Coordinates of all heavy atoms in Angstrom, one line a residue:
M2 N 46.6 -21.0 11.6 CA 46.1 -19.7 11.0 C 45.9 -19.9 9.5 O 45.1 -19.2 9.0 CB 47.2 -18.7 11.4 CG 46.6 -17.3 11.2 SD 45.2 -17.0 12.2 CE 45.4 -15.3 12.5
K3 N 46.7 -20.7 8.9 CA 46.5 -20.9 7.4 C 45.1 -21.4 7.1 O 44.5 -20.9 6.1 CB 47.6 -21.9 6.9 CG 47.5 -22.0 5.4 CD 48.5 -23.0 4.9 CE 48.4 -23.1 3.4 NZ 49.2 -24.1 2.9
D4 N 44.6 -22.3 7.9 CA 43.2 -22.8 7.6 C 42.2 -21.7 7.7 O 41.3 -21.6 6.9 CB 42.9 -23.9 8.6 CG 43.6 -25.2 8.3 OD1 44.1 -25.4 7.2 OD2 43.8 -26.0 9.3
L5 N 42.3 -20.8 8.7 CA 41.4 -19.7 8.9 C 41.5 -18.7 7.7 O 40.5 -18.3 7.2 CB 41.7 -18.9 10.2 CG 40.8 -17.7 10.5 CD1 39.4 -18.1 10.5 CD2 41.2 -17.0 11.7
N6 N 42.7 -18.5 7.2 CA 42.8 -17.6 6.0 C 42.2 -18.3 4.8 O 41.6 -17.6 4.0 CB 44.3 -17.3 5.8 CG 44.9 -16.3 6.8 OD1 44.1 -15.5 7.3 ND2 46.2 -16.4 7.0
E7 N 42.4 -19.6 4.7 CA 41.7 -20.3 3.5 C 40.2 -20.2 3.6 O 39.5 -19.9 2.6 CB 42.2 -21.7 3.5 CG 43.6 -21.9 3.1 CD 44.0 -23.4 3.1 OE1 43.1 -24.3 3.0 OE2 45.2 -23.7 3.2
I8 N 39.7 -20.4 4.8 CA 38.2 -20.3 5.0 C 37.7 -18.9 4.7 O 36.7 -18.7 4.0 CB 37.9 -20.7 6.4 CG1 38.1 -22.2 6.6 CG2 36.4 -20.3 6.8 CD1 38.0 -22.7 8.0
L9 N 38.4 -17.9 5.2 CA 38.0 -16.5 4.9 C 38.1 -16.2 3.4 O 37.2 -15.5 2.8 CB 38.9 -15.5 5.7 CG 38.7 -15.5 7.2 CD1 39.7 -14.6 7.9 CD2 37.3 -15.1 7.5
G10 N 39.1 -16.7 2.8 CA 39.3 -16.5 1.3 C 38.1 -17.2 0.6 O 37.6 -16.6 -0.4
M11 N 37.8 -18.4 1.0 CA 36.7 -19.1 0.4 C 35.4 -18.3 0.6 O 34.6 -18.2 -0.3 CB 36.6 -20.5 1.0 CG 36.2 -21.6 0.0 SD 36.5 -23.2 0.7 CE 35.1 -23.4 1.7
A12 N 35.2 -17.8 1.8 CA 34.0 -17.1 2.1 C 33.9 -15.8 1.2 O 32.8 -15.5 0.7 CB 33.9 -16.7 3.6
T13 N 35.0 -15.2 1.0 CA 35.0 -14.0 0.1 C 34.6 -14.3 -1.3 O 33.9 -13.7 -1.9 CB 36.4 -13.3 0.2 OG1 36.6 -12.9 1.6 CG2 36.4 -12.1 -0.7
R14 N 35.2 -15.4 -1.8 CA 34.9 -15.9 -3.2 C 33.4 -16.3 -3.3 O 32.8 -15.9 -4.3 CB 35.8 -17.1 -3.6 CG 37.2 -16.6 -3.8 CD 38.0 -17.7 -4.4 NE 38.2 -18.9 -3.6 CZ 39.1 -19.0 -2.6 NH1 39.9 -18.1 -2.3 NH2 39.1 -20.1 -1.9
V15 N 32.9 -16.9 -2.3 CA 31.5 -17.3 -2.3 C 30.6 -16.0 -2.3 O 29.6 -15.9 -3.1 CB 31.1 -18.2 -1.1 CG1 29.6 -18.3 -1.0 CG2 31.7 -19.6 -1.3
Q16 N 31.0 -15.1 -1.5 CA 30.2 -13.8 -1.5 C 30.2 -13.1 -2.8 O 29.2 -12.6 -3.3 CB 30.7 -12.9 -0.4 CG 29.9 -11.7 -0.1 CD 30.4 -10.9 1.1 OE1 31.6 -11.1 1.5 NE2 29.6 -10.0 1.6
E17 N 31.4 -13.1 -3.5 CA 31.5 -12.5 -4.8 C 30.7 -13.2 -5.8 O 30.0 -12.5 -6.6 CB 33.0 -12.4 -5.2 CG 33.9 -11.5 -4.4 CD 35.4 -11.6 -4.6 OE1 35.7 -12.6 -5.3 OE2 36.1 -10.8 -4.0
E18 N 30.7 -14.5 -5.8 CA 29.9 -15.3 -6.7 C 28.4 -15.0 -6.5 O 27.6 -14.9 -7.5 CB 30.2 -16.8 -6.6 CG 31.6 -17.2 -7.1 CD 31.6 -17.0 -8.7 OE1 30.7 -17.3 -9.4 OE2 32.7 -16.5 -9.1
L19 N 28.0 -15.0 -5.3 CA 26.6 -14.7 -5.0 C 26.2 -13.3 -5.4 O 25.1 -13.2 -6.0 CB 26.3 -14.9 -3.5 CG 26.3 -16.3 -3.0 CD1 26.2 -16.3 -1.4 CD2 25.2 -17.1 -3.6
Q20 N 27.0 -12.4 -5.3 CA 26.8 -11.0 -5.8 C 26.6 -11.0 -7.3 O 25.7 -10.4 -7.8 CB 27.8 -10.0 -5.3 CG 27.5 -8.6 -5.7 CD 26.2 -8.1 -5.1 OE1 26.0 -8.2 -3.9 NE2 25.3 -7.5 -5.9
R21 N 27.5 -11.7 -8.0 CA 27.4 -11.8 -9.4 C 26.1 -12.5 -9.8 O 25.4 -12.0 -10.8 CB 28.6 -12.6 -10.0 CG 29.8 -11.7 -10.3 CD 30.8 -12.4 -11.2 NE 31.5 -13.5 -10.5 CZ 32.5 -13.3 -9.7 NH1 33.0 -12.1 -9.5 NH2 33.1 -14.4 -9.2
A22 N 25.7 -13.5 -9.1 CA 24.4 -14.2 -9.4 C 23.2 -13.2 -9.2 O 22.3 -13.2 -10.0 CB 24.3 -15.4 -8.6
Q23 N 23.3 -12.5 -8.1 CA 22.2 -11.5 -7.8 C 22.1 -10.5 -8.9 O 21.0 -10.1 -9.4 CB 22.5 -10.8 -6.5 CG 22.1 -11.6 -5.3 CD 20.6 -11.7 -5.1 OE1 19.9 -10.8 -5.3 NE2 20.2 -12.9 -4.6
D24 N 23.3 -10.0 -9.4 CA 23.3 -9.0 -10.5 C 22.7 -9.6 -11.8 O 22.0 -8.9 -12.5 CB 24.7 -8.5 -10.7 CG 25.3 -7.7 -9.5 OD1 24.5 -7.2 -8.7 OD2 26.5 -7.5 -9.5
N25 N 23.0 -10.9 -12.0 CA 22.5 -11.5 -13.2 C 21.0 -11.7 -13.1 O 20.3 -11.6 -14.2 CB 23.1 -13.0 -13.2 CG 24.0 -13.1 -14.4 OD1 24.3 -12.1 -15.1 ND2 24.5 -14.3 -14.6
L26 N 20.4 -11.8 -12.0 CA 18.9 -12.0 -11.9 C 18.2 -10.8 -12.4 O 17.1 -10.9 -13.0 CB 18.5 -12.2 -10.4 CG 18.9 -13.5 -9.8 CD1 18.5 -13.5 -8.3 CD2 18.4 -14.7 -10.5
D27 N 18.8 -9.6 -12.4 CA 18.1 -8.4 -12.9 C 18.2 -8.4 -14.4 O 17.4 -7.6 -15.1 CB 18.8 -7.1 -12.3 CG 17.8 -6.0 -12.4 OD1 16.7 -6.2 -12.0 OD2 18.3 -4.9 -12.8
K28 N 19.0 -9.3 -15.0 CA 19.0 -9.4 -16.5 C 18.1 -10.4 -17.1 O 17.8 -10.4 -18.2 CB 20.4 -9.7 -16.9 CG 21.4 -8.5 -16.6 CD 22.8 -8.9 -16.9 CE 23.8 -7.9 -16.4 NZ 25.2 -8.3 -16.3
L29 N 17.6 -11.3 -16.2 CA 16.7 -12.4 -16.6 C 15.3 -11.8 -16.6 O 14.9 -11.2 -15.6 CB 16.8 -13.6 -15.7 CG 18.1 -14.3 -15.7 CD1 18.1 -15.4 -14.7 CD2 18.4 -15.0 -17.1
E30 N 14.5 -12.1 -17.7 CA 13.1 -11.6 -17.8 C 12.1 -12.7 -17.7 O 12.3 -13.8 -18.2 CB 12.9 -10.8 -19.1 CG 13.5 -9.4 -19.1 CD 13.1 -8.6 -20.3 OE1 12.0 -8.8 -20.9 OE2 13.9 -7.7 -20.7
V31 N 11.0 -12.4 -17.0 CA 9.8 -13.3 -17.0 C 8.6 -12.4 -17.4 O 8.7 -11.2 -17.4 CB 9.6 -13.9 -15.6 CG1 10.8 -14.7 -15.2 CG2 9.4 -12.8 -14.6
E32 N 7.6 -13.1 -17.9 CA 6.4 -12.4 -18.2 C 5.2 -13.0 -17.5 O 5.0 -14.2 -17.6 CB 6.1 -12.5 -19.8 CG 4.9 -11.8 -20.2 CD 4.7 -11.8 -21.7 OE1 4.1 -12.7 -22.2 OE2 5.2 -10.9 -22.4
G33 N 4.5 -12.2 -16.8 CA 3.2 -12.6 -16.1 C 2.1 -12.2 -17.0 O 2.1 -11.2 -17.7
A34 N 1.0 -13.0 -17.0 CA -0.1 -12.7 -17.9 C -1.4 -13.0 -17.1 O -1.5 -13.8 -16.2 CB -0.1 -13.5 -19.2
A35 N -2.5 -12.3 -17.6 CA -3.8 -12.5 -17.0 C -4.8 -12.3 -18.1 O -4.5 -11.6 -19.1 CB -4.0 -11.6 -15.8
G36 N -6.0 -12.8 -17.9 CA -7.1 -12.6 -18.8 C -6.8 -13.2 -20.2 O -7.1 -12.7 -21.2
G37 N -6.1 -14.4 -20.2 CA -5.8 -15.0 -21.4 C -4.8 -14.2 -22.3 O -4.8 -14.3 -23.5
G38 N -3.9 -13.5 -21.6 CA -2.9 -12.7 -22.3 C -3.4 -11.3 -22.6 O -2.6 -10.5 -23.3
L39 N -4.5 -10.8 -22.2 CA -5.0 -9.5 -22.5 C -4.1 -8.5 -21.7 O -4.0 -7.3 -22.1 CB -6.5 -9.3 -22.1 CG -7.4 -10.1 -23.0 CD1 -8.9 -10.0 -22.4 CD2 -7.4 -9.6 -24.4
V40 N -3.6 -8.9 -20.5 CA -2.7 -8.0 -19.7 C -1.5 -8.8 -19.5 O -1.5 -10.0 -19.0 CB -3.4 -7.6 -18.4 CG1 -2.4 -6.8 -17.5 CG2 -4.7 -6.8 -18.6
K41 N -0.3 -8.2 -19.8 CA 1.0 -8.8 -19.6 C 1.9 -7.9 -18.8 O 1.8 -6.7 -19.0 CB 1.6 -9.2 -20.9 CG 0.8 -10.2 -21.7 CD 1.4 -10.4 -23.1 CE 0.6 -11.3 -23.9 NZ 1.1 -11.4 -25.3
V42 N 2.7 -8.5 -17.9 CA 3.7 -7.7 -17.2 C 5.0 -8.4 -17.4 O 5.1 -9.6 -17.1 CB 3.3 -7.6 -15.7 CG1 4.4 -7.0 -14.9 CG2 2.0 -6.9 -15.5
R43 N 6.0 -7.6 -17.8 CA 7.4 -8.1 -17.9 C 8.1 -7.6 -16.7 O 8.1 -6.5 -16.3 CB 8.0 -7.6 -19.2 CG 7.5 -8.3 -20.4 CD 8.2 -7.9 -21.7 NE 9.4 -7.0 -21.6 CZ 9.3 -5.6 -21.9 NH1 8.1 -5.1 -22.2 NH2 10.4 -4.9 -21.8
A44 N 8.9 -8.6 -16.1 CA 9.7 -8.2 -14.9 C 11.0 -8.9 -14.9 O 11.2 -9.9 -15.6 CB 8.9 -8.7 -13.6
S45 N 12.0 -8.4 -14.2 CA 13.2 -9.1 -14.0 C 13.0 -10.2 -13.0 O 12.1 -10.2 -12.2 CB 14.3 -8.1 -13.6 OG 14.2 -7.8 -12.2
A46 N 14.0 -11.1 -12.9 CA 13.9 -12.2 -11.9 C 14.1 -11.6 -10.5 O 13.7 -12.3 -9.5 CB 14.9 -13.3 -12.2
K47 N 14.5 -10.4 -10.4 CA 14.7 -9.8 -9.1 C 13.3 -9.1 -8.7 O 13.2 -8.6 -7.6 CB 15.8 -8.7 -9.1 CG 17.1 -9.4 -8.9 CD 18.2 -8.3 -8.8 CE 18.4 -8.0 -7.3 NZ 19.6 -7.2 -7.1
G48 N 12.4 -9.0 -9.7 CA 11.1 -8.5 -9.4 C 10.9 -7.0 -9.9 O 9.9 -6.4 -9.6
R49 N 11.9 -6.5 -10.6 CA 11.8 -5.1 -11.1 C 10.8 -5.2 -12.3 O 11.0 -6.0 -13.2 CB 13.2 -4.6 -11.5 CG 13.2 -3.2 -12.1 CD 14.6 -2.8 -12.4 NE 15.3 -3.7 -13.3 CZ 15.3 -3.6 -14.7 NH1 14.6 -2.7 -15.2 NH2 15.9 -4.5 -15.4
I50 N 9.8 -4.3 -12.3 CA 8.9 -4.3 -13.4 C 9.5 -3.6 -14.6 O 9.9 -2.4 -14.5 CB 7.5 -3.6 -13.0 CG1 6.9 -4.3 -11.8 CG2 6.6 -3.6 -14.1 CD1 6.7 -5.8 -12.0
I51 N 9.5 -4.2 -15.8 CA 10.1 -3.7 -17.0 C 9.0 -3.1 -17.9 O 9.3 -2.0 -18.5 CB 10.8 -4.8 -17.7 CG1 12.0 -5.3 -16.8 CG2 11.4 -4.3 -19.0 CD1 12.6 -6.6 -17.3
G52 N 7.9 -3.7 -17.9 CA 6.8 -3.1 -18.8 C 5.5 -3.8 -18.6 O 5.4 -4.9 -18.0
V53 N 4.5 -3.1 -19.1 CA 3.1 -3.6 -18.9 C 2.5 -3.4 -20.3 O 2.6 -2.4 -21.0 CB 2.3 -2.7 -17.9 CG1 0.8 -3.1 -17.9 CG2 2.9 -2.8 -16.5
S54 N 1.7 -4.4 -20.7 CA 1.0 -4.4 -22.0 C -0.5 -4.7 -21.7 O -0.8 -5.7 -21.1 CB 1.6 -5.5 -23.0 OG 0.8 -5.6 -24.1
I55 N -1.3 -3.8 -22.2 CA -2.8 -4.0 -22.0 C -3.5 -4.0 -23.4 O -3.3 -3.0 -24.2 CB -3.3 -2.8 -21.2 CG1 -2.6 -2.8 -19.8 CG2 -4.8 -3.0 -21.0 CD1 -3.0 -1.6 -18.9
D56 N -4.2 -5.0 -23.7 CA -4.9 -5.1 -24.9 C -5.9 -4.0 -25.0 O -6.6 -3.6 -24.0 CB -5.7 -6.5 -25.0 CG -6.3 -6.7 -26.4 OD1 -7.4 -6.2 -26.6 OD2 -5.6 -7.4 -27.2
E57 N -6.0 -3.3 -26.1 CA -6.9 -2.1 -26.3 C -8.4 -2.4 -26.1 O -9.1 -1.5 -25.8 CB -6.6 -1.4 -27.6 CG -7.0 -2.2 -28.8 CD -6.6 -1.6 -30.1 OE1 -5.4 -1.0 -30.1 OE2 -7.3 -1.6 -31.0
T58 N -8.8 -3.7 -26.2 CA -10.2 -4.0 -25.9 C -10.6 -3.7 -24.5 O -11.8 -3.6 -24.2 CB -10.5 -5.4 -26.3 OG1 -9.8 -6.3 -25.5 CG2 -10.2 -5.7 -27.8
L59 N -9.7 -3.7 -23.6 CA -9.9 -3.4 -22.2 C -10.0 -2.0 -21.8 O -10.1 -1.7 -20.6 CB -8.9 -4.2 -21.3 CG -8.9 -5.7 -21.4 CD1 -7.7 -6.3 -20.7 CD2 -10.2 -6.3 -20.9
L60 N -9.8 -1.1 -22.7 CA -9.7 0.3 -22.4 C -11.0 1.1 -22.3 O -11.0 2.3 -22.2 CB -8.7 1.0 -23.4 CG -7.3 0.4 -23.4 CD1 -6.4 1.2 -24.4 CD2 -6.7 0.5 -22.0
A61 N -12.1 0.4 -22.4 CA -13.4 1.0 -22.3 C -13.7 1.3 -20.8 O -13.3 0.5 -19.9 CB -14.5 0.1 -22.8
P62 N -14.3 2.5 -20.5 CA -14.6 2.8 -19.1 C -15.3 1.8 -18.4 O -15.1 1.5 -17.2 CB -15.3 4.1 -19.2 CG -14.9 4.7 -20.5 CD -14.7 3.5 -21.4
S63 N -16.2 1.0 -19.1 CA -17.0 0.0 -18.4 C -16.1 -1.2 -18.0 O -16.6 -2.0 -17.2 CB -18.1 -0.5 -19.3 OG -17.6 -1.0 -20.5
E64 N -14.9 -1.3 -18.5 CA -14.0 -2.4 -18.2 C -13.0 -2.0 -17.1 O -12.1 -2.8 -16.8 CB -13.3 -2.9 -19.4 CG -14.2 -3.3 -20.6 CD -15.0 -4.5 -20.3 OE1 -14.5 -5.4 -19.6 OE2 -16.1 -4.6 -20.7
K65 N -13.2 -0.9 -16.5 CA -12.2 -0.4 -15.5 C -11.9 -1.4 -14.4 O -10.7 -1.7 -14.1 CB -12.7 0.9 -14.9 CG -11.7 1.5 -13.9 CD -12.2 2.8 -13.3 CE -11.3 3.4 -12.3 NZ -11.0 2.7 -11.1
Q66 N -12.9 -1.9 -13.7 CA -12.7 -2.9 -12.6 C -12.0 -4.2 -13.1 O -11.1 -4.7 -12.5 CB -14.0 -3.2 -11.9 CG -13.8 -4.1 -10.7 CD -13.0 -3.5 -9.6 OE1 -13.2 -2.4 -9.2 NE2 -12.0 -4.2 -9.1
I67 N -12.4 -4.6 -14.2 CA -11.8 -5.9 -14.8 C -10.4 -5.6 -15.1 O -9.5 -6.4 -14.8 CB -12.6 -6.3 -16.1 CG1 -14.0 -6.8 -15.7 CG2 -11.8 -7.4 -16.8 CD1 -14.9 -7.1 -16.9
L68 N -10.1 -4.5 -15.7 CA -8.7 -4.1 -16.1 C -7.8 -4.0 -14.8 O -6.7 -4.6 -14.8 CB -8.6 -2.8 -16.8 CG -7.3 -2.3 -17.2 CD1 -6.5 -3.3 -18.1 CD2 -7.4 -1.0 -18.0
E69 N -8.3 -3.4 -13.8 CA -7.6 -3.3 -12.6 C -7.3 -4.7 -12.0 O -6.2 -5.0 -11.5 CB -8.3 -2.4 -11.5 CG -8.4 -1.0 -11.9 CD -9.3 -0.2 -11.1 OE1 -10.1 -0.7 -10.3 OE2 -9.2 1.1 -11.1
D70 N -8.3 -5.6 -12.0 CA -8.1 -6.9 -11.5 C -7.1 -7.7 -12.3 O -6.2 -8.5 -11.8 CB -9.4 -7.7 -11.5 CG -10.4 -7.1 -10.4 OD1 -9.9 -6.4 -9.5 OD2 -11.6 -7.4 -10.5
L71 N -7.1 -7.5 -13.7 CA -6.2 -8.3 -14.5 C -4.8 -7.7 -14.4 O -3.8 -8.5 -14.4 CB -6.7 -8.1 -16.0 CG -7.9 -8.9 -16.3 CD1 -8.4 -8.6 -17.8 CD2 -7.8 -10.4 -16.1
V72 N -4.6 -6.4 -14.2 CA -3.3 -5.9 -14.0 C -2.7 -6.5 -12.7 O -1.5 -6.9 -12.6 CB -3.3 -4.4 -14.0 CG1 -1.9 -3.8 -13.5 CG2 -3.6 -3.8 -15.4
T73 N -3.5 -6.5 -11.7 CA -3.1 -7.0 -10.4 C -2.7 -8.5 -10.5 O -1.6 -8.9 -10.0 CB -4.2 -6.9 -9.3 OG1 -4.5 -5.5 -9.1 CG2 -3.8 -7.5 -8.0
A74 N -3.5 -9.3 -11.2 CA -3.2 -10.7 -11.5 C -1.9 -10.9 -12.3 O -1.1 -11.8 -12.0 CB -4.4 -11.4 -12.1
A75 N -1.7 -10.0 -13.3 CA -0.5 -10.2 -14.1 C 0.7 -9.8 -13.3 O 1.7 -10.5 -13.4 CB -0.7 -9.3 -15.3
F76 N 0.6 -8.8 -12.5 CA 1.8 -8.5 -11.6 C 2.1 -9.6 -10.7 O 3.3 -10.0 -10.5 CB 1.5 -7.2 -10.7 CG 1.8 -5.9 -11.4 CD1 0.8 -5.0 -11.8 CD2 3.2 -5.6 -11.6 CE1 1.2 -3.8 -12.4 CE2 3.5 -4.4 -12.2 CZ 2.5 -3.5 -12.6
N77 N 1.1 -10.2 -10.1 CA 1.3 -11.4 -9.2 C 1.9 -12.5 -9.9 O 2.7 -13.3 -9.4 CB 0.0 -11.7 -8.5 CG -0.4 -10.7 -7.4 OD1 0.5 -10.0 -6.8 ND2 -1.7 -10.6 -7.2
D78 N 1.4 -12.8 -11.2 CA 2.0 -13.9 -12.0 C 3.4 -13.6 -12.3 O 4.3 -14.5 -12.2 CB 1.1 -14.0 -13.2 CG 1.5 -15.3 -14.0 OD1 1.7 -16.3 -13.4 OD2 1.5 -15.2 -15.3
A79 N 3.8 -12.4 -12.7 CA 5.2 -12.0 -13.0 C 6.0 -12.2 -11.7 O 7.1 -12.7 -11.8 CB 5.3 -10.6 -13.5
R80 N 5.5 -11.8 -10.6 CA 6.3 -11.9 -9.3 C 6.6 -13.4 -9.0 O 7.7 -13.7 -8.6 CB 5.5 -11.2 -8.2 CG 6.2 -11.3 -6.8 CD 7.4 -10.3 -6.8 NE 8.5 -11.2 -6.6 CZ 9.8 -10.8 -6.6 NH1 10.0 -9.5 -6.9 NH2 10.8 -11.5 -6.4
K81 N 5.5 -14.2 -9.1 CA 5.7 -15.6 -8.9 C 6.8 -16.2 -9.8 O 7.6 -17.0 -9.3 CB 4.4 -16.3 -9.1 CG 4.4 -17.8 -8.9 CD 3.0 -18.4 -9.1 CE 3.1 -19.9 -9.2 NZ 2.9 -20.5 -10.5
K82 N 6.7 -15.9 -11.1 CA 7.7 -16.4 -12.0 C 9.1 -15.9 -11.7 O 10.1 -16.6 -11.9 CB 7.2 -16.1 -13.4 CG 6.0 -16.9 -13.9 CD 5.6 -16.5 -15.3 CE 4.4 -17.3 -15.7 NZ 3.8 -16.9 -17.0
A83 N 9.2 -14.6 -11.3 CA 10.5 -14.1 -11.0 C 11.1 -14.8 -9.8 O 12.2 -15.1 -9.8 CB 10.3 -12.6 -10.7
D84 N 10.2 -15.1 -8.8 CA 10.7 -15.9 -7.6 C 11.2 -17.3 -8.0 O 12.2 -17.7 -7.6 CB 9.6 -16.0 -6.6 CG 9.3 -14.7 -5.8 OD1 10.1 -13.8 -5.9 OD2 8.2 -14.6 -5.2
E85 N 10.5 -17.9 -8.9 CA 10.9 -19.2 -9.4 C 12.2 -19.2 -10.1 O 13.1 -20.0 -9.9 CB 9.8 -19.8 -10.3 CG 8.5 -20.2 -9.6 CD 7.3 -20.5 -10.5 OE1 7.5 -20.4 -11.7 OE2 6.3 -20.9 -10.0
V86 N 12.4 -18.2 -11.0 CA 13.6 -18.1 -11.7 C 14.8 -17.8 -10.8 O 15.9 -18.3 -10.9 CB 13.5 -17.1 -12.9 CG1 14.9 -16.7 -13.5 CG2 12.6 -17.5 -14.0
S87 N 14.5 -16.9 -9.9 CA 15.5 -16.5 -8.9 C 16.0 -17.6 -8.1 O 17.2 -17.9 -7.9 CB 15.0 -15.4 -8.0 OG 15.9 -15.0 -7.0
N88 N 15.0 -18.4 -7.5 CA 15.3 -19.6 -6.7 C 16.1 -20.6 -7.5 O 17.1 -21.2 -7.0 CB 14.1 -20.2 -6.1 CG 13.5 -19.3 -5.0 OD1 14.1 -18.5 -4.4 ND2 12.2 -19.5 -4.8
A89 N 15.7 -20.8 -8.8 CA 16.4 -21.8 -9.6 C 17.9 -21.3 -9.9 O 18.8 -22.1 -9.8 CB 15.7 -22.0 -10.9
E90 N 18.1 -20.1 -10.2 CA 19.4 -19.5 -10.5 C 20.3 -19.6 -9.2 O 21.4 -20.0 -9.3 CB 19.3 -18.1 -11.0 CG 18.8 -18.0 -12.4 CD 19.6 -18.7 -13.5 OE1 20.8 -18.5 -13.5 OE2 19.1 -19.5 -14.2
M91 N 19.7 -19.2 -8.1 CA 20.5 -19.2 -6.9 C 20.8 -20.6 -6.4 O 21.8 -20.9 -5.9 CB 19.8 -18.4 -5.8 CG 19.7 -16.9 -6.1 SD 21.3 -16.1 -6.6 CE 22.1 -16.1 -5.0
G92 N 19.9 -21.5 -6.7 CA 20.1 -22.9 -6.4 C 21.2 -23.5 -7.2 O 22.1 -24.3 -6.6
K93 N 21.4 -23.1 -8.4 CA 22.5 -23.5 -9.3 C 23.8 -23.0 -8.6 O 24.8 -23.7 -8.6 CB 22.4 -22.9 -10.7 CG 21.4 -23.5 -11.5 CD 21.4 -22.8 -12.9 CE 20.2 -23.0 -13.7 NZ 20.1 -22.2 -14.9
M94 N 23.8 -21.8 -8.1 CA 24.9 -21.1 -7.6 C 25.4 -21.9 -6.3 O 26.6 -22.0 -6.1 CB 24.5 -19.7 -7.3 CG 25.6 -18.8 -6.9 SD 26.7 -18.6 -8.3 CE 28.1 -18.4 -7.3
T95 N 24.5 -22.3 -5.5 CA 24.8 -22.8 -4.2 C 24.9 -24.4 -4.2 O 25.3 -24.9 -3.2 CB 23.8 -22.4 -3.1 OG1 22.5 -22.8 -3.5 CG2 23.9 -20.9 -3.0
S96 N 24.6 -25.0 -5.3 CA 24.5 -26.5 -5.3 C 25.9 -27.1 -5.0 O 25.9 -28.2 -4.4 CB 24.0 -27.0 -6.6 OG 24.9 -26.7 -7.7
G97 N 27.0 -26.5 -5.4 CA 28.3 -27.1 -5.1 C 28.9 -26.7 -3.8 O 29.9 -27.2 -3.4
L98 N 28.2 -25.8 -3.0 CA 28.7 -25.4 -1.7 C 28.4 -26.5 -0.7 O 27.3 -27.0 -0.6 CB 28.1 -24.1 -1.3 CG 28.4 -22.9 -2.2 CD1 27.6 -21.7 -1.6 CD2 29.9 -22.6 -2.2
Q99 N 29.4 -26.8 0.2 CA 29.2 -27.7 1.2 C 28.8 -26.9 2.5 O 29.7 -26.5 3.2 CB 30.4 -28.6 1.4 CG 30.7 -29.5 0.3 CD 32.0 -30.3 0.5 OE1 32.7 -30.1 1.4 NE2 32.2 -31.2 -0.4
L100 N 27.5 -26.7 2.7 CA 27.1 -25.9 3.8 C 26.6 -26.9 4.9 O 26.1 -28.0 4.7 CB 25.9 -25.0 3.4 CG 26.2 -24.0 2.3 CD1 24.9 -23.4 1.9 CD2 27.2 -23.1 2.7
P101 N 26.8 -26.4 6.2 CA 26.3 -27.3 7.3 C 24.8 -27.5 7.2 O 24.1 -26.6 6.7 CB 26.6 -26.5 8.5 CG 27.5 -25.4 8.1 CD 27.4 -25.2 6.6
P102 N 24.2 -28.6 7.7 CA 22.8 -28.8 7.7 C 22.0 -27.7 8.3 O 22.4 -27.2 9.3 CB 22.6 -30.1 8.5 CG 24.0 -30.8 8.5 CD 25.0 -29.7 8.4
G103 N 21.0 -27.2 7.6 CA 20.1 -26.2 8.1 C 20.6 -24.8 7.9 O 20.0 -23.8 8.1
F104 N 21.9 -24.6 7.3 CA 22.4 -23.3 7.0 C 21.8 -22.8 5.7 O 21.8 -23.5 4.7 CB 23.9 -23.4 6.8 CG 24.6 -22.1 6.6 CD1 24.9 -21.3 7.7 CD2 24.9 -21.7 5.4 CE1 25.5 -20.0 7.5 CE2 25.5 -20.4 5.2 CZ 25.8 -19.6 6.3
K105 N 21.3 -21.6 5.7 CA 20.7 -21.0 4.5 C 21.4 -19.7 4.2 O 21.6 -18.9 5.1 CB 19.2 -20.8 4.7 CG 18.4 -22.1 5.0 CD 16.9 -21.8 4.8 CE 16.1 -23.0 5.2 NZ 16.2 -24.1 4.4
L106 N 21.7 -19.5 2.9 CA 22.2 -18.2 2.5 C 21.1 -17.2 2.2 O 20.1 -17.6 1.7 CB 23.1 -18.5 1.2 CG 24.3 -19.3 1.4 CD1 24.9 -19.6 0.1 CD2 25.4 -18.6 2.3
P107 N 21.4 -16.0 2.5 CA 20.3 -15.0 2.2 C 20.3 -14.7 0.7 O 21.3 -14.5 0.1 CB 20.8 -13.7 3.0 CG 22.3 -13.9 3.1 CD 22.5 -15.4 3.2
F108 N 19.1 -14.7 0.2 CA 18.9 -14.3 -1.2 C 18.1 -13.1 -1.3 O 17.1 -12.9 -0.8 CB 18.2 -15.4 -2.0 CG 19.0 -16.7 -2.1 CD1 18.4 -17.9 -2.1 CD2 20.4 -16.7 -2.2 CE1 19.1 -19.1 -2.2 CE2 21.1 -17.9 -2.3 CZ 20.4 -19.1 -2.3

């Protein structure tokens, strides 16, 4: 029974560490950009959008479609970077764990 208690204790500690790592991801920022930096999106590594910056040269009515496309591209760039940072951070967290082959932790 002692072994089971040790395993359960270890599982609890791992779960707590993973929760702390998840919480940390919301503090890490990435920036997505499009149009050579004319549109920028700041996001947390969890994907929460923090801010959007649009160069004023794009604010002409004739540039509406271009602006919409650039905002979309910047959001996608920020999301991709957030995923990369998240995966790297969670990878650091789980690198020391001895998990059975094929076992994946939910992120």
